[in-house]
Amino acid sequence: MATTRLLSPHALPLPSRTAADALRPAATPSRRPLAVRAVALPTPGCRPRKDDAEESSRRTMLLAAGATVFLSWPNPAAFAAEAKKGFLPVTDKKDGYSFLYPFGWQEVVVQGQDKVYKDVIEPLESVSVNTIPTNKQDIRDLGPPDQVAEALIRKVLAAPTQKTKLIEAKENNVDGRTYYTFEFTAQAPNFTRHALGAIAIANGKFYTLTTGANERRWDKMKDRLHTVVDSFKIEARI
C-alpha cells in the first residue's frame, strides 16, 4: 500500500533527517543521558523566559513525532474504508460508477468485463462490473424487475448448462436513479453459486454489477455481498 507523505501545516521539518530515517527504529539509548536543549530566537527587545523555551521545546518534539506517524500512514480514504467497514472503494470516472469490495480481494483481468475483483482462495467469491451501450433511458423501459432479472441471469450471468433460480428481484430508487437488484442461484454439477446483482441504465449504458459466493459459504458472506451491491452507484456524465 502506498505511503502518503502528508505533513500538518504547522509541523516543523525534521532537521537533517529523511523520511526513511524517521521510519527506522530508534537506536538503543546510551547509558549517558541525552541532554536536550531548546534554542529559541529572541524577539528584538525581549528576552525569552525559561517557561517559554520549555513550552517551545515540547511543541517541537510533539510536532516532529506527529509528522513521523503521518509519514507511515496509508492513504487516508483507503485507510478509513478498510478500518471502518472492511471494504475498499473503486471509482471509474470514465464510465461513471463506483462500488466497494471486501478488503483482501484482488483485481484480475477477465475478457468482456470492465472490472473484476475476487478472492484468490475462494474463486467463486468475486464482484464484476460490465457495461454495454443502449438507447434506453431507464431500466424500467425493459420491463419489471423479475422479468429483466430472469432474462439477464439465463442469457448472460449463468452458463447454459447451469440450473438457475431467481430468489428475489426488486426496484430501488437512489438519488433519483432507478436500480433493479436481485438474488439468484446458479447450480453446476460440482458447485452452486449464490449471487446478487444490481442493474441500471444511465449515460447511454446498461450497467451490471454481480457478486456472489459458493453456496456453502453464503451464510458467512451474505452481509458483505449485500454491502457490495448496496454500494453500487452510477453518476451522470456530462
Side-chain angles (χ1 to χ4, degrees):
M1 185 173 292
T3 300
T4 302
R5 300 178 182 272
L6 294 178
L7 294 176
S8 167
H10 304 290
L12 298 180
L14 299 175
S16 69
R17 299 186 69 194
T18 64
D21 293 330
L23 295 175
R24 291 196 187 102
T28 303
S30 62
R31 294 182 181 178
R32 183 179 179 182
L34 178 64
V36 178
R37 241 175 101 210
V39 179
L41 293 177
T43 303
C46 299
R47 291 186 60 187
R49 294 181 305 172
K50 182 180 178 181
D51 290 346
D52 293 338
E54 291 178 352
E55 178 65 20
S56 176
S57 177
R58 283 195 295 268
R59 287 175 180 270
T60 300
M61 287 187 289
L62 287 171
L63 289 170
T68 301
V69 172
F70 244 122
L71 286 169
S72 65
W73 281 5
N75 178 273
F79 180 83
E82 174 190 345
K84 293 180 179 180
K85 300 181 180 179
F87 293 83
L88 294 175
V90 176
T91 301
D92 189 316
K93 294 182 179 180
K94 179 182 177 182
D95 288 322
Y97 66 83
S98 62
F99 64 93
L100 298 174
Y101 68 93
F103 180 74
W105 288 10
Q106 303 296 316
E107 184 174 12
V108 296
V109 177
V110 177
Q111 187 175 3
Q113 300 295 316
D114 196 57
K115 287 277 191 304
V116 179
Y117 290 83
K118 67 186 300 182
D119 188 303
V120 295
I121 298 175
E122 295 285 345
L124 292 183
E125 294 175 13
S126 64
V127 57
S128 61
V129 176
N130 189 28
T131 65
I132 58 173
T134 180
N135 56 6
K136 301 293 184 181
Q137 300 298 313
D138 191 286
I139 192 67
R140 291 170 291 189
D141 295 341
L142 300 178
D146 56 343
Q147 291 183 12
V148 176
E150 281 274 17
L152 186 64
I153 294 166
R154 188 174 62 255
K155 297 179 180 179
V156 179
L157 301 181
T161 56
Q162 293 178 342
K163 183 179 179 180
T164 62
K165 178 183 177 181
L166 177 64
I167 299 173
E168 182 185 34
K170 58 185 179 180
E171 177 181 319
N172 299 303
N173 190 285
V174 181
D175 297 330
R177 190 179 307 284
T178 301
Y179 298 79
Y180 285 174
T181 57
F182 52 95
E183 179 181 348
F184 69 99
T185 58
Q187 183 179 355
N190 55 341
F191 68 86
T192 298
R193 189 174 194 242
H194 201 139
L196 302 172
I199 53 179
I201 290 178
N203 306 317
K205 297 176 182 292
F206 180 90
Y207 295 82
T208 304
L209 178 143
T210 314
T211 187
N214 196 310
E215 181 67 72
R216 63 179 171 79
R217 284 175 54 83
W218 172 252
D219 287 340
K220 182 177 181 178
M221 292 297 299
K222 62 182 179 181
D223 289 342
R224 275 178 276 182
L225 299 180
H226 275 290
T227 297
V228 173
V229 166
D230 293 343
S231 73
F232 185 50
K233 298 294 182 294
I234 299 171
E235 301 295 336
R237 295 173 57 219
I238 300 174

